[in-house]
Amino acid sequence: MGSLQSKTLAEAKLAQQINKWIESSVNQVNTEIPGLKLTRWESITPPTSYTHNPSICLIAQGKKRVLLGEESYVYDASHFLVSSVDLPIIANIIEATPDTPYLGLIMELDLQVISELIAESEHLFSHDIKTPKGIAVGLLSESLLDAFTRLLGLLGERDNVKILAPIIQREILYRLLTSEQGVLLHQIVTTDSRSYQISKAIEWLKNNFFKPLIVNELATYSGMSLSAFYAHFRLVTSMMPLQFQKKLRLNEARRLMLTENLDATATTFKVGYESPSQFSREYARLFGQAPKRHIEALRKAALPA
């Protein structure tokens, strides 16, 4: 059997596995394997803004577009998306129908395991001194696809998940490290790299997005000069620190209004804005609608037909 044919069969098997474990009326489920989620959509989706965690994403069927700043990343069943830091992105499904739904999976990255793999096999991994982007699309290899297929196969073996899932997940991370995108993972856990320093700043912003941002203090906290901080922050995230903070604030604002039923005024001050009018303007600029109208539309879209 040819390599291309075997890969096509493996992709079909992965699609069948995802379909098996997620109901047609559900868009996303957490599996019994820690850090592994499955997704299913029967139609294309509008662009949605959210904070994307460090993870690897595969598509068994369909196609997706991710926007980071002004840069676009498109991937499908032949590619994977990997991100090494928390990033406020805009994403949408661009290929899906009821007959051929979008089928995908997301596996969170375990940075501790990545560090262990690097320490155990340092000579195998390229350590590029250039600061890479915090997100990338790579060509999906047969070996990586096979590992994910075996991982999903464990969902039918409840007694074996606890022991075998961490072994296969470790293999997946190893294969990622040895791929062209491995430099993202290498640098994010290497304490003397610029990527690691920027990841410290991102972690601070994620936990303190509601506070006033003094960029030179954040640069000092990250161990960098102000000019170096600006340059490398933009390299990793495709945006400037204030823009990054704004997207974190607005994503959290949407969550508070949608899931905790806060009104726009209360949300304004909870996420760090001083003026409801400024909050409303910036919310509408990102999401395309004023806060109240947008939340009403999201709730209506979530209701069963």
Side-chain angles (χ1 to χ4, degrees), residues 75-120:
Y75 66 113
D76 54 19
S78 297
H79 299 82
F80 65 86
L81 181 88
V82 61
S83 55
S84 59
V85 290
D86 294 285
L87 294 169
I89 64 169
I90 297 174
N92 64 308
I93 309 299
I94 59 175
E95 190 177 285
T97 67
D99 291 334
T100 55
Y102 172 94
L103 299 169
L105 63 82
I106 304 162
M107 191 187 89
E108 296 175 4
L109 300 183
D110 189 325
L111 299 185
Q112 179 61 40
V113 173
I114 291 170
S115 297
E116 292 171 2
L117 288 168
I118 290 173
E120 293 169 11

Side-chain angles (χ1 to χ4, degrees), residues 10 35 77 89 111 173 201 266 268 292 304:
I89 64 169
L111 299 185
L173 295 176
T268 294
K292 183 178 180 180

Side-chain angles (χ1 to χ4, degrees), residues 198-214:
I198 294 301
S199 73
K200 287 181 59 181
I202 290 173
E203 185 68 17
W204 188 93
L205 284 167
K206 189 175 74 168
N207 294 327
N208 300 277
F209 61 84
F210 50 87
K211 296 180 180 179
L213 176 57
I214 303 174

Side-chain angles (χ1 to χ4, degrees), residues 126-133 183-184 186-188 193-195 232 235-236:
S126 171
H127 185 183
D128 195 330
I129 62 172
K130 295 179 182 178
T131 303
K133 195 72 66 182
V183 64
L184 275 75
H186 194 295
Q187 289 229 3
I188 211 64
S193 74
R194 294 301 196 188
S195 294
H232 290 280
L235 277 173
V236 172

Side-chain angles (χ1 to χ4, degrees), residues 155-206:
L155 292 175
E157 304 175 19
R158 179 171 295 182
D159 293 340
N160 298 329
V161 165
K162 185 176 180 180
I163 300 300
L164 296 181
I167 296 173
I168 300 176
Q169 288 174 308
R170 187 179 178 88
E171 176 190 346
I172 288 169
L173 295 176
Y174 176 84
R175 294 192 182 282
L176 269 179
L177 277 166
T178 56
S179 74
E180 290 184 2
Q181 285 66 39
V183 64
L184 275 75
L185 309 186
H186 194 295
Q187 289 229 3
I188 211 64
V189 297
T190 304
T191 56
D192 62 349
S193 74
R194 294 301 196 188
S195 294
Y196 179 84
Q197 291 172 297
I198 294 301
S199 73
K200 287 181 59 181
I202 290 173
E203 185 68 17
W204 188 93
L205 284 167
K206 189 175 74 168

Side-chain angles (χ1 to χ4, degrees), residues 133-164:
K133 195 72 66 182
I135 195 168
V137 170
L139 189 64
L140 181 61
S141 67
E142 285 190 64
S143 57
L144 193 54
L145 177 58
D146 174 68
F148 271 106
T149 302
R150 285 185 279 111
L151 183 66
L152 262 65
L154 290 177
L155 292 175
E157 304 175 19
R158 179 171 295 182
D159 293 340
N160 298 329
V161 165
K162 185 176 180 180
I163 300 300
L164 296 181

Side-chain angles (χ1 to χ4, degrees), residues 261-275:
N261 297 315
L262 265 64
D263 61 30
T265 300
T267 301
T268 294
F269 303 109
K270 190 148 182 94
V271 300
Y273 281 94
E274 298 179 357
S275 161

Side-chain angles (χ1 to χ4, degrees), residues 246-299:
K246 183 188 299 183
K247 290 194 173 184
L248 290 178
R249 284 180 169 182
L250 294 173
N251 285 339
E252 174 64 6
R254 181 184 60 175
R255 188 194 69 80
L256 290 170
M257 291 186 289
L258 187 61
T259 65
E260 298 189 17
N261 297 315
L262 265 64
D263 61 30
T265 300
T267 301
T268 294
F269 303 109
K270 190 148 182 94
V271 300
Y273 281 94
E274 298 179 357
S275 161
S277 60
Q278 181 194 14
F279 166 68
S280 184
R281 281 196 309 273
E282 295 194 352
Y283 189 98
R285 192 175 296 129
L286 179 62
F287 294 113
Q289 290 179 302
K292 183 178 180 180
R293 182 174 297 178
H294 184 237
I295 296 303
E296 287 174 350
L298 289 174
R299 286 182 176 142

